[in-house]
Amino acid sequence: MADNHFKAVFCHLNISFPMSDTTNPTGAVARTSVNMNIPENVSFWISKWGITREQLQSAVDRVGAKETRVSDYLRAKGIIRF
């Protein structure tokens, strides 16, 4: 009985968690933005682009966290070539 009460109460909570990554239908993470507050996210982007944390932070500060804007900025600055 207590278990059912917990489920009923829990279902009525409206909780949302901000996420920079979403999961696509195959279960893989689709990264669409750079979240400088999540170390794993920062590590992913600096590894993918072969840049430093400082370069990534500078780009995010300049153009925002959207992945396409960050990569376009890094390309325009000649920091990445792909």
Side-chain angles (χ1 to χ4, degrees):
M1 180 83 162
D3 191 40
N4 288 336
H5 176 70
F6 174 76
K7 288 179 184 175
V9 171
F10 189 73
C11 289
H12 290 92
L13 296 176
N14 185 12
I15 300 172
S16 64
F17 298 97
M19 299 193 58
S20 63
D21 302 333
T22 56
T23 303
N24 66 23
T26 64
V29 174
R31 289 183 168 90
T32 58
S33 64
V34 178
N35 188 332
M36 296 300 294
N37 297 315
I38 301 175
E40 295 82 8
N41 193 271
V42 173
S43 295
F44 171 81
W45 293 113
I46 62 176
S47 175
K48 175 179 177 167
W49 289 323
I51 61 175
T52 66
R53 186 184 200 294
E54 291 75 22
Q55 289 172 314
L56 182 61
Q57 182 68 64
S58 177
V60 170
D61 290 345
R62 183 78 171 166
V63 299
K66 189 173 179 185
E67 183 271 337
T68 54
R69 290 183 180 177
V70 173
S71 62
D72 289 347
Y73 174 81
L74 293 170
R75 273 189 215 92
K77 290 290 187 180
I79 297 171
I80 63 173
R81 292 188 181 9
F82 48 91

